[in-house]
Amino acid sequence: TQEEQTRAGLRFPAGFTLGAATSAYQIEGAVDEDGRGTSIWDTFAKTPGRVLNGHNADVAIDHYHRYRDDVALMADLGLTAYRFSVSWPRIQPTGSGKVNQKGLDFYKRLTDELRGHGIDPWLTLYHWDLPQELEDKGGWPNRDVAYCFADYAATVHEALKDHVHTFSTVNEPWCAAFLGYASGEHAPGRREPQNAIRGAHHLNLAHGLAVQAMGARRVGGCVNLYAVDPATDSVEDLDAARRIDGLQNRFFLDALLLGRYPEDVLDDLPVEIDFIQPGDMKTINAPIDLLLVNYYSRFTVSGAPGGKQSASAAPTDTGSPWVGSEHVSFVSAGHPVTAMGWEIDESGLVEVLTRVAREYPAIPMVVSENGAAFDDELVDGRIHDRERQGYVEAHLGACKEAIDRGVPLEGYFAWSLMDNFEWAWGYGKRFGLVHVDFETQERRLKDSALWYSEIIRQNSQHEPTDS
Ligand code: GBH
Protein backbone atom coordinates (compact mmCIF):
# COMPACT_ATOMS: atom_id res chain seq x y z
CA THR A 1 0.00 0.00 0.00
CA GLN A 2 0.91 3.63 -0.29
CA GLU A 3 1.28 3.80 3.48
CA GLU A 4 3.72 0.93 3.62
CA GLN A 5 5.78 2.51 0.88
CA THR A 6 5.93 5.80 2.73
CA ARG A 7 7.03 4.04 5.87
CA ALA A 8 9.58 1.98 4.02
CA GLY A 9 10.91 5.31 2.79
CA LEU A 10 11.35 6.53 6.36
CA ARG A 11 14.00 4.02 7.24
CA PHE A 12 17.04 5.66 8.75
CA PRO A 13 20.55 4.30 9.18
CA ALA A 14 21.07 2.19 12.30
CA GLY A 15 21.77 4.40 15.30
CA PHE A 16 19.87 7.41 13.93
CA THR A 17 18.33 9.24 16.87
CA LEU A 18 14.56 9.81 16.82
CA GLY A 19 13.53 11.98 19.73
CA ALA A 20 11.48 14.93 20.86
CA ALA A 21 12.32 18.24 22.49
CA THR A 22 11.08 20.71 25.10
CA SER A 23 12.53 23.62 27.10
CA ALA A 24 12.51 24.44 30.79
CA TYR A 25 10.43 27.60 31.02
CA GLN A 26 7.89 26.25 28.53
CA ILE A 27 7.06 23.15 30.56
CA GLU A 28 8.34 23.12 34.14
CA GLY A 29 6.23 25.55 36.18
CA ALA A 30 7.16 25.45 39.90
CA VAL A 31 8.79 28.84 39.49
CA ASP A 32 9.06 29.49 43.23
CA GLU A 33 10.10 26.03 44.33
CA ASP A 34 13.31 24.57 45.71
CA GLY A 35 15.19 27.84 45.59
CA ARG A 36 14.72 28.77 41.93
CA GLY A 37 15.51 32.40 41.18
CA THR A 38 13.60 34.70 38.83
CA SER A 39 14.31 34.69 35.11
CA ILE A 40 13.71 37.35 32.48
CA TRP A 41 10.76 35.30 31.22
CA ASP A 42 9.05 35.44 34.63
CA THR A 43 9.40 39.21 34.60
CA PHE A 44 8.45 39.63 30.96
CA ALA A 45 5.38 37.39 31.14
CA LYS A 46 4.09 39.34 34.13
CA THR A 47 4.49 42.67 32.37
CA PRO A 48 1.13 43.63 30.83
CA GLY A 49 1.01 43.56 27.04
CA ARG A 50 4.01 41.30 26.52
CA VAL A 51 2.39 37.87 26.28
CA LEU A 52 -0.93 37.25 24.59
CA ASN A 53 -3.82 37.15 27.07
CA GLY A 54 -1.45 37.87 29.96
CA HIS A 55 -0.40 34.22 30.21
CA ASN A 56 2.70 33.23 32.16
CA ALA A 57 4.42 29.93 32.90
CA ASP A 58 4.14 29.87 36.71
CA VAL A 59 2.45 26.49 36.31
CA ALA A 60 3.10 25.78 32.61
CA ILE A 61 2.42 22.05 32.17
CA ASP A 62 3.67 21.24 35.66
CA HIS A 63 6.48 19.06 34.38
CA TYR A 64 8.57 19.78 37.49
CA HIS A 65 6.10 17.67 39.47
CA ARG A 66 5.03 15.30 36.71
CA TYR A 67 8.41 14.47 35.18
CA ARG A 68 8.12 10.78 36.13
CA ASP A 69 4.83 10.38 34.30
CA ASP A 70 6.18 12.38 31.38
CA VAL A 71 9.22 10.12 31.09
CA ALA A 72 6.95 7.07 31.25
CA LEU A 73 4.99 8.55 28.37
CA MET A 74 8.19 9.06 26.37
CA ALA A 75 9.08 5.44 27.03
CA ASP A 76 5.63 4.36 25.80
CA LEU A 77 6.29 6.27 22.61
CA GLY A 78 9.64 4.52 22.22
CA LEU A 79 11.69 7.72 22.07
CA THR A 80 15.40 6.96 21.93
CA ALA A 81 16.35 10.47 23.04
CA TYR A 82 14.85 13.50 24.77
CA ARG A 83 16.17 17.04 24.41
CA PHE A 84 15.38 19.36 27.33
CA SER A 85 16.90 22.48 28.80
CA VAL A 86 18.18 23.37 32.25
CA SER A 87 16.74 26.44 33.93
CA TRP A 88 19.75 28.62 34.80
CA PRO A 89 17.98 30.32 37.75
CA ARG A 90 17.31 26.90 39.32
CA ILE A 91 21.06 26.28 39.38
CA GLN A 92 22.23 29.81 40.16
CA PRO A 93 19.27 31.86 41.40
CA THR A 94 21.10 35.13 40.80
CA GLY A 95 23.05 33.99 37.76
CA SER A 96 26.42 33.84 39.42
CA GLY A 97 28.06 32.58 42.53
CA LYS A 98 26.23 30.31 44.90
CA VAL A 99 24.94 27.04 43.46
CA ASN A 100 21.52 25.75 44.43
CA GLN A 101 21.93 22.01 44.99
CA LYS A 102 18.19 21.38 44.85
CA GLY A 103 18.17 22.68 41.30
CA LEU A 104 20.90 20.28 40.22
CA ASP A 105 19.10 17.47 42.04
CA PHE A 106 16.00 17.92 39.91
CA TYR A 107 17.98 17.37 36.72
CA LYS A 108 19.74 14.39 38.29
CA ARG A 109 16.37 12.83 39.08
CA LEU A 110 15.10 13.62 35.60
CA THR A 111 18.13 12.19 33.80
CA ASP A 112 18.22 9.10 36.04
CA GLU A 113 14.60 8.51 35.18
CA LEU A 114 15.30 8.91 31.46
CA ARG A 115 18.28 6.58 31.49
CA GLY A 116 16.32 4.06 33.52
CA HIS A 117 13.91 3.92 30.59
CA GLY A 118 16.66 3.71 27.98
CA ILE A 119 16.14 7.28 26.80
CA ASP A 120 19.27 9.30 26.04
CA PRO A 121 19.09 12.75 27.72
CA TRP A 122 20.26 15.65 25.53
CA LEU A 123 20.88 18.67 27.71
CA THR A 124 20.62 22.27 26.49
CA LEU A 125 22.18 24.80 28.86
CA TYR A 126 20.29 27.90 27.78
CA HIS A 127 16.83 28.11 26.28
CA TRP A 128 16.28 31.83 26.93
CA ASP A 129 15.62 31.97 30.69
CA LEU A 130 18.37 34.36 31.81
CA PRO A 131 18.48 35.00 35.58
CA GLN A 132 16.84 38.39 36.14
CA GLU A 133 19.79 39.70 38.15
CA LEU A 134 22.03 39.35 35.13
CA GLU A 135 19.53 41.30 33.06
CA ASP A 136 19.56 43.97 35.76
CA LYS A 137 23.31 44.20 35.14
CA GLY A 138 22.69 44.84 31.44
CA GLY A 139 21.75 41.41 30.12
CA TRP A 140 23.43 39.90 27.06
CA PRO A 141 24.73 43.26 25.80
CA ASN A 142 26.99 43.14 28.88
CA ARG A 143 30.07 41.04 28.11
CA ASP A 144 30.34 39.83 31.72
CA VAL A 145 27.23 37.72 31.21
CA ALA A 146 29.15 35.49 28.78
CA TYR A 147 31.66 34.70 31.52
CA CYS A 148 28.86 34.01 34.01
CA PHE A 149 27.42 31.58 31.47
CA ALA A 150 30.72 29.71 31.21
CA ASP A 151 30.79 29.34 34.97
CA TYR A 152 27.22 28.05 34.98
CA ALA A 153 28.06 25.62 32.14
CA ALA A 154 31.03 24.24 34.07
CA THR A 155 28.83 23.76 37.15
CA VAL A 156 26.12 21.89 35.28
CA HIS A 157 28.65 19.83 33.36
CA GLU A 158 30.52 18.83 36.50
CA ALA A 159 27.32 17.80 38.28
CA LEU A 160 25.72 15.95 35.38
CA LYS A 161 28.54 14.61 33.23
CA ASP A 162 27.92 11.08 34.46
CA HIS A 163 24.23 11.42 33.67
CA VAL A 164 24.36 13.13 30.30
CA HIS A 165 26.29 12.20 27.18
CA THR A 166 25.40 15.14 24.91
CA PHE A 167 25.39 18.79 25.93
CA SER A 168 24.53 21.85 23.89
CA THR A 169 25.09 25.48 24.76
CA VAL A 170 22.74 28.24 23.58
CA ASN A 171 19.46 27.41 21.87
CA GLU A 172 18.97 29.68 18.85
CA PRO A 173 21.20 32.64 19.65
CA TRP A 174 19.42 34.58 16.87
CA CYS A 175 16.18 34.53 18.87
CA ALA A 176 17.81 35.33 22.19
CA ALA A 177 19.57 38.35 20.69
CA PHE A 178 17.22 39.77 18.09
CA LEU A 179 13.79 38.90 19.49
CA GLY A 180 14.98 39.77 23.00
CA TYR A 181 16.84 43.01 22.32
CA ALA A 182 15.77 44.30 18.86
CA SER A 183 12.12 43.48 18.16
CA GLY A 184 11.20 43.04 21.82
CA GLU A 185 8.89 40.12 21.05
CA HIS A 186 10.73 37.98 23.60
CA ALA A 187 12.16 38.69 27.04
CA PRO A 188 13.60 41.02 28.12
CA GLY A 189 11.59 42.95 25.53
CA ARG A 190 14.09 45.70 24.80
CA ARG A 191 14.06 47.49 21.47
CA GLU A 192 17.70 48.45 21.17
CA PRO A 193 19.02 47.31 17.80
CA GLN A 194 22.64 48.19 18.55
CA ASN A 195 22.57 46.30 21.82
CA ALA A 196 21.00 43.35 20.02
CA ILE A 197 24.18 43.03 17.92
CA ARG A 198 26.32 43.22 21.02
CA GLY A 199 24.08 40.63 22.63
CA ALA A 200 24.46 38.35 19.61
CA HIS A 201 28.23 38.55 19.85
CA HIS A 202 28.16 37.86 23.58
CA LEU A 203 25.84 34.89 23.10
CA ASN A 204 28.34 33.49 20.61
CA LEU A 205 31.15 34.21 23.03
CA ALA A 206 29.18 32.52 25.82
CA HIS A 207 28.88 29.46 23.60
CA GLY A 208 32.64 29.31 22.98
CA LEU A 209 33.59 29.96 26.59
CA ALA A 210 31.16 27.27 27.74
CA VAL A 211 32.57 24.74 25.27
CA GLN A 212 36.03 25.44 26.69
CA ALA A 213 34.80 25.35 30.28
CA MET A 214 33.22 21.91 29.86
CA GLY A 215 36.45 20.15 28.93
CA ALA A 216 36.15 16.57 27.73
CA ARG A 217 32.56 16.10 26.70
CA ARG A 218 30.32 15.75 23.69
CA VAL A 219 29.02 19.22 23.04
CA GLY A 220 27.22 21.02 20.26
CA GLY A 221 26.20 24.50 19.29
CA CYS A 222 22.65 25.22 18.17
CA VAL A 223 21.43 27.52 15.41
CA ASN A 224 18.04 28.15 13.84
CA LEU A 225 18.44 28.12 10.09
CA TYR A 226 16.10 29.24 7.34
CA ALA A 227 16.20 28.71 3.62
CA VAL A 228 16.02 32.23 2.19
CA ASP A 229 14.82 33.09 -1.32
CA PRO A 230 14.63 36.42 -3.09
CA ALA A 231 11.08 37.18 -4.27
CA THR A 232 12.42 37.93 -7.78
CA ASP A 233 15.90 38.20 -9.19
CA SER A 234 15.88 41.96 -9.11
CA VAL A 235 18.99 43.55 -7.61
CA GLU A 236 16.94 44.76 -4.62
CA ASP A 237 15.44 41.35 -3.86
CA LEU A 238 18.78 39.58 -4.22
CA ASP A 239 20.27 42.08 -1.79
CA ALA A 240 17.37 41.52 0.62
CA ALA A 241 18.00 37.76 0.53
CA ARG A 242 21.72 38.25 1.12
CA ARG A 243 20.93 40.43 4.16
CA ILE A 244 18.41 38.11 5.79
CA ASP A 245 20.52 35.03 5.09
CA GLY A 246 23.46 36.95 6.55
CA LEU A 247 21.75 37.93 9.79
CA GLN A 248 19.80 34.73 10.33
CA ASN A 249 22.22 32.05 9.15
CA ARG A 250 25.76 33.17 8.28
CA PHE A 251 26.33 35.46 11.26
CA PHE A 252 26.10 32.40 13.52
CA LEU A 253 27.39 29.63 11.24
CA ASP A 254 30.48 31.58 10.18
CA ALA A 255 31.23 32.52 13.79
CA LEU A 256 30.88 29.02 15.23
CA LEU A 257 32.32 27.01 12.35
CA LEU A 258 34.80 29.41 10.69
CA GLY A 259 35.74 31.74 13.53
CA ARG A 260 34.79 34.96 11.76
CA TYR A 261 31.80 37.15 11.00
CA PRO A 262 30.76 37.63 7.38
CA GLU A 263 32.17 40.97 6.15
CA ASP A 264 29.06 41.92 4.23
CA VAL A 265 26.90 41.48 7.34
CA LEU A 266 29.21 43.59 9.48
CA ASP A 267 29.20 46.28 6.75
CA ASP A 268 25.39 46.49 6.85
CA LEU A 269 25.21 46.94 10.61
CA PRO A 270 24.41 50.41 11.92
CA VAL A 271 26.81 50.01 14.78
CA GLU A 272 30.47 50.51 15.44
CA ILE A 273 32.03 47.05 15.79
CA ASP A 274 34.04 47.84 18.90
CA PHE A 275 32.96 44.90 21.05
CA ILE A 276 34.95 42.09 19.41
CA GLN A 277 38.05 41.64 21.52
CA PRO A 278 41.24 39.90 20.42
CA GLY A 279 40.82 36.16 20.74
CA ASP A 280 37.02 36.24 20.76
CA MET A 281 36.58 34.69 17.35
CA LYS A 282 38.97 31.88 18.16
CA THR A 283 37.03 31.20 21.37
CA ILE A 284 33.73 31.19 19.50
CA ASN A 285 35.26 28.77 16.99
CA ALA A 286 36.22 26.32 19.79
CA PRO A 287 35.95 22.79 18.35
CA ILE A 288 32.50 21.27 18.80
CA ASP A 289 31.35 17.71 18.28
CA LEU A 290 28.13 18.44 16.48
CA LEU A 291 25.84 21.14 15.16
CA LEU A 292 22.22 21.26 16.30
CA VAL A 293 19.95 22.72 13.63
CA ASN A 294 16.45 23.95 14.38
CA TYR A 295 14.37 24.26 11.21
CA TYR A 296 10.80 25.43 10.78
CA SER A 297 10.29 27.31 7.54
CA ARG A 298 11.53 29.16 4.47
CA PHE A 299 11.64 32.94 4.02
CA THR A 300 10.91 34.70 0.75
CA VAL A 301 12.06 38.31 0.89
CA SER A 302 11.88 41.48 -1.12
CA GLY A 303 13.85 44.70 -1.10
CA ALA A 304 10.79 46.68 -2.09
CA PRO A 305 9.66 48.73 0.90
CA GLY A 306 6.22 48.64 2.44
CA GLY A 307 5.72 44.91 2.98
CA LYS A 308 5.51 42.83 6.13
CA GLN A 309 8.51 43.35 8.41
CA SER A 310 8.68 39.70 9.39
CA ALA A 311 7.52 36.35 8.12
CA SER A 312 4.66 36.04 10.57
CA ALA A 313 2.45 38.35 12.57
CA ALA A 314 3.65 38.91 16.14
CA PRO A 315 0.98 38.56 18.84
CA THR A 316 2.11 41.74 20.58
CA ASP A 317 3.38 45.16 19.67
CA THR A 318 6.96 44.65 18.46
CA GLY A 319 9.67 46.22 16.32
CA SER A 320 11.79 44.65 13.59
CA PRO A 321 14.38 42.02 14.53
CA TRP A 322 16.35 42.69 11.32
CA VAL A 323 18.90 45.18 12.55
CA GLY A 324 20.22 47.36 9.72
CA SER A 325 17.91 45.64 7.22
CA GLU A 326 14.57 46.83 8.53
CA HIS A 327 13.48 47.79 5.00
CA VAL A 328 13.33 44.17 3.86
CA SER A 329 9.83 42.77 3.49
CA PHE A 330 8.63 39.21 3.76
CA VAL A 331 6.30 37.86 1.11
CA SER A 332 4.38 34.65 0.64
CA ALA A 333 5.69 31.97 -1.69
CA GLY A 334 2.22 30.44 -1.71
CA HIS A 335 2.93 27.37 0.38
CA PRO A 336 0.37 26.23 2.96
CA VAL A 337 0.95 27.70 6.41
CA THR A 338 0.77 26.46 10.00
CA ALA A 339 -1.27 28.10 12.75
CA MET A 340 1.73 30.41 13.30
CA GLY A 341 1.45 31.60 9.71
CA TRP A 342 4.78 29.94 8.90
CA GLU A 343 5.04 28.52 5.39
CA ILE A 344 5.50 24.78 5.20
CA ASP A 345 8.40 23.84 2.96
CA GLU A 346 10.41 20.75 3.73
CA SER A 347 12.70 21.33 0.75
CA GLY A 348 14.16 24.18 2.79
CA LEU A 349 15.39 21.65 5.32
CA VAL A 350 17.26 19.69 2.65
CA GLU A 351 18.65 22.99 1.46
CA VAL A 352 19.97 24.22 4.82
CA LEU A 353 21.50 20.85 5.72
CA THR A 354 23.25 20.37 2.39
CA ARG A 355 24.39 23.97 2.50
CA VAL A 356 26.13 23.53 5.85
CA ALA A 357 27.69 20.29 4.62
CA ARG A 358 28.92 21.97 1.43
CA GLU A 359 30.07 25.36 2.68
CA TYR A 360 31.52 24.63 6.11
CA PRO A 361 34.11 22.29 7.62
CA ALA A 362 32.76 18.79 8.07
CA ILE A 363 30.60 18.42 11.18
CA PRO A 364 27.96 15.90 12.25
CA MET A 365 24.49 17.45 12.50
CA VAL A 366 21.15 16.73 14.08
CA VAL A 367 17.81 18.41 13.48
CA SER A 368 17.26 19.48 17.07
CA GLU A 369 13.81 21.04 16.55
CA ASN A 370 11.20 20.73 13.85
CA GLY A 371 7.45 20.82 14.15
CA ALA A 372 4.27 22.79 13.69
CA ALA A 373 1.39 24.42 15.51
CA PHE A 374 -2.10 23.62 14.32
CA ASP A 375 -5.55 24.20 15.79
CA ASP A 376 -6.14 20.80 17.29
CA GLU A 377 -9.64 19.52 17.83
CA LEU A 378 -10.60 16.95 20.36
CA VAL A 379 -13.09 14.54 18.74
CA ASP A 380 -14.38 11.65 20.88
CA GLY A 381 -11.22 11.73 22.94
CA ARG A 382 -8.91 11.70 19.92
CA ILE A 383 -6.95 14.38 18.11
CA HIS A 384 -6.70 13.64 14.44
CA ASP A 385 -3.86 16.03 13.72
CA ARG A 386 -3.20 14.88 10.19
CA GLU A 387 -1.56 18.18 9.27
CA ARG A 388 1.06 17.87 12.04
CA GLN A 389 1.70 14.26 11.09
CA GLY A 390 2.07 15.34 7.47
CA TYR A 391 4.48 18.08 8.48
CA VAL A 392 6.70 15.73 10.48
CA GLU A 393 6.53 13.03 7.83
CA ALA A 394 7.56 15.46 5.11
CA HIS A 395 10.46 16.80 7.16
CA LEU A 396 11.64 13.31 8.10
CA GLY A 397 11.60 12.63 4.37
CA ALA A 398 13.76 15.71 3.93
CA CYS A 399 16.20 14.34 6.51
CA LYS A 400 16.42 11.13 4.55
CA GLU A 401 17.04 13.01 1.36
CA ALA A 402 19.82 15.01 3.03
CA ILE A 403 21.41 11.77 4.24
CA ASP A 404 21.13 10.30 0.76
CA ARG A 405 22.96 13.37 -0.51
CA GLY A 406 25.81 12.72 1.89
CA VAL A 407 24.94 15.01 4.81
CA PRO A 408 26.27 13.57 8.09
CA LEU A 409 22.88 13.83 9.81
CA GLU A 410 22.62 11.76 12.99
CA GLY A 411 19.20 12.47 14.40
CA TYR A 412 15.89 14.30 14.50
CA PHE A 413 13.97 15.80 17.43
CA ALA A 414 10.34 16.73 16.98
CA TRP A 415 9.26 20.04 18.51
CA SER A 416 7.56 19.53 20.77
CA LEU A 417 6.96 16.45 22.86
CA MET A 418 3.98 18.12 24.55
CA ASP A 419 1.84 21.24 24.11
CA ASN A 420 3.36 24.00 26.22
CA PHE A 421 3.85 27.71 26.86
CA GLU A 422 4.57 29.10 23.41
CA TRP A 423 6.45 32.27 24.43
CA ALA A 424 4.70 35.49 23.34
CA TRP A 425 1.69 33.40 22.28
CA GLY A 426 1.21 31.98 25.76
CA TYR A 427 -0.97 28.88 25.71
CA GLY A 428 -2.55 30.01 22.45
CA LYS A 429 -0.52 27.76 20.14
CA ARG A 430 -0.03 24.02 20.35
CA PHE A 431 3.10 22.33 18.96
CA GLY A 432 2.89 19.04 20.88
CA LEU A 433 2.75 15.48 19.65
CA VAL A 434 1.04 15.01 22.99
CA HIS A 435 -2.01 17.09 23.84
CA VAL A 436 -2.10 18.75 27.22
CA ASP A 437 -5.28 19.99 28.87
CA PHE A 438 -3.99 23.23 30.41
CA GLU A 439 -6.68 23.07 33.15
CA THR A 440 -6.39 19.47 34.32
CA GLN A 441 -2.83 18.83 33.01
CA GLU A 442 -4.07 15.62 31.47
CA ARG A 443 -1.76 14.29 28.74
CA ARG A 444 -3.27 12.59 25.69
CA LEU A 445 -1.46 11.17 22.66
CA LYS A 446 -2.40 12.88 19.42
CA ASP A 447 -2.54 10.78 16.24
CA SER A 448 0.81 12.31 15.26
CA ALA A 449 2.38 10.85 18.41
CA LEU A 450 1.02 7.37 17.66
CA TRP A 451 2.30 7.64 14.10
CA TYR A 452 5.75 8.87 15.20
CA SER A 453 5.94 6.06 17.70
CA GLU A 454 5.32 3.57 14.92
CA ILE A 455 8.09 5.12 12.80
CA ILE A 456 10.48 4.81 15.74
CA ARG A 457 9.43 1.21 16.31
CA GLN A 458 10.07 0.30 12.67
CA ASN A 459 13.45 1.96 12.76
CA SER A 460 14.53 0.07 15.83
CA GLN A 461 13.75 -3.28 14.20
CA HIS A 462 16.60 -3.38 11.74
CA GLU A 463 19.18 -2.80 14.40
CA PRO A 464 21.07 -5.86 15.56
CA THR A 465 19.93 -7.15 18.93
CA ASP A 466 22.35 -7.71 21.76
CA SER A 467 20.97 -11.03 22.88
C1 GBH B 1 11.69 27.58 18.41
O1 GBH B 1 12.13 28.75 17.82
C2 GBH B 1 11.99 27.62 19.88
O2 GBH B 1 13.28 27.10 20.13
C3 GBH B 1 10.96 26.93 20.72
O3 GBH B 1 11.17 27.24 22.06
C4 GBH B 1 9.59 27.34 20.26
O4 GBH B 1 8.57 26.86 21.09
C5 GBH B 1 9.42 26.85 18.86
O5 GBH B 1 10.39 27.38 18.04
C6 GBH B 1 8.09 27.22 18.26
O6 GBH B 1 7.98 28.61 18.13
O7 GBH B 1 8.60 36.30 11.64
O8 GBH B 1 10.65 36.95 10.60
O9 GBH B 1 10.29 37.47 12.95
C7 GBH B 1 11.54 29.05 16.60
C8 GBH B 1 12.27 30.10 15.86
C9 GBH B 1 12.32 32.30 15.14
C10 GBH B 1 10.51 30.94 14.49
C11 GBH B 1 11.57 33.51 14.73
C12 GBH B 1 9.76 32.16 14.04
C13 GBH B 1 9.93 34.35 13.29
C14 GBH B 1 10.74 35.04 12.26
N1 GBH B 1 11.44 31.24 15.54
N2 GBH B 1 10.67 33.17 13.66
S1 GBH B 1 10.02 36.53 11.83
Side-chain angles (χ1 to χ4, degrees), residues 22-23 26 83 127-128 171-172 174-175 179 183 185-186 222 224 226 244 248 294-297 299 309-314 319-322 330 340 342 369 371-373 415-416 420-423 425 429 431:
T22 63
S23 89
Q26 294 180 273
R83 175 174 178 256
H127 203 124
W128 311 347
N171 179 69
E172 302 187 347
W174 183 88
C175 291
L179 299 180
S183 77
E185 180 181 338
H186 284 182
C222 174
N224 58 318
Y226 281 82
I244 299 307
Q248 178 77 55
N294 293 1
Y295 175 84
Y296 288 90
S297 185
F299 290 150
Q309 64 171 22
S310 60
S312 50
S320 169
W322 304 106
F330 289 74
M340 302 295 279
W342 302 348
E369 283 182 27
W415 183 272
S416 178
N420 59 46
F421 177 83
E422 176 50 30
W423 307 115
W425 293 90
K429 301 287 178 198
F431 276 87

Side-chain angles (χ1 to χ4, degrees), residues 38-324:
T38 302
S39 86
I40 55 174
W41 267 96
D42 297 308
T43 309
F44 184 78
K46 288 172 191 180
T47 307
R50 298 306 210 160
V51 173
L52 192 66
N53 300 318
H55 290 161
N56 64 56
D58 279 3
V59 176
I61 57 169
D62 198 33
H63 173 75
Y64 192 78
H65 300 117
R66 293 167 193 263
Y67 74 92
R68 275 204 181 81
D69 292 344
D70 289 340
V71 172
L73 194 123
M74 295 178 217
D76 286 347
L77 289 175
L79 297 190
T80 59
Y82 171 57
R83 175 174 178 256
F84 65 98
S85 81
V86 170
S87 159
W88 186 350
R90 282 198 197 283
I91 309 304
Q92 288 175 304
T94 62
S96 58
K98 209 176 149 327
V99 172
N100 176 36
Q101 186 59 41
K102 286 188 173 169
L104 288 172
D105 289 345
F106 170 68
Y107 297 103
K108 282 188 180 162
R109 292 197 298 278
L110 172 65
T111 51
D112 277 342
E113 195 70 18
L114 286 162
R115 284 147 43 101
H117 283 85
I119 301 166
D120 190 20
W122 285 49
L123 185 154
T124 297
L125 286 161
Y126 185 72
H127 203 124
W128 311 347
D129 42 0
L130 186 72
Q132 181 61 41
E133 281 203 33
L134 294 183
E135 175 57 28
D136 297 343
K137 293 176 179 157
W140 285 108
N142 177 355
R143 184 178 173 94
D144 296 344
V145 172
Y147 292 90
C148 293
F149 181 73
D151 182 53
Y152 156 68
T155 302
V156 173
H157 179 256
E158 186 52 35
L160 293 170
K161 62 176 190 278
D162 297 332
H163 292 64
V164 174
H165 179 55
T166 309
F167 291 79
S168 70
T169 56
V170 178
N171 179 69
E172 302 187 347
W174 183 88
C175 291
F178 294 106
L179 299 180
Y181 294 88
S183 77
E185 180 181 338
H186 284 182
R190 285 159 62 181
R191 282 201 210 171
E192 302 164 18
Q194 306 205 350
N195 273 328
I197 297 291
R198 284 178 180 275
H201 177 63
H202 295 148
L203 281 150
N204 285 339
L205 182 62
H207 156 80
L209 291 168
V211 168
Q212 292 176 342
M214 288 193 280
R217 70 297 169 256
R218 189 166 112 103
V219 64
C222 174
V223 287
N224 58 318
L225 302 183
Y226 281 82
V228 183
D229 285 330
T232 72
D233 50 21
S234 72
V235 174
E236 294 76 15
D237 291 357
L238 288 168
D239 184 64
R242 177 191 63 74
R243 285 168 173 270
I244 299 307
D245 173 49
L247 283 166
Q248 178 77 55
N249 302 321
R250 289 183 289 121
F251 187 83
F252 299 95
L253 287 172
D254 287 18
L256 267 61
L257 302 178
L258 301 174
R260 58 174 165 73
Y261 287 122
E263 280 301 323
D264 64 304
V265 176
L266 294 183
D267 287 348
D268 293 336
L269 294 175
V271 49
E272 203 192 323
I273 311 295
D274 56 0
F275 45 80
I276 306 175
Q277 295 190 9
D280 281 7
M281 299 315 298
K282 188 157 187 288
T283 301
I284 295 170
N285 185 216
I288 49 176
D289 303 302
L290 76 168
L291 185 73
L292 289 84
V293 175
N294 293 1
Y295 175 84
Y296 288 90
S297 185
R298 178 190 286 279
F299 290 150
T300 306
V301 297
S302 160
K308 292 197 302 170
Q309 64 171 22
S310 60
S312 50
T316 52
D317 181 27
T318 55
S320 169
W322 304 106
V323 179

Side-chain angles (χ1 to χ4, degrees), residues 213 335 458:
H335 300 294
Q458 291 178 4

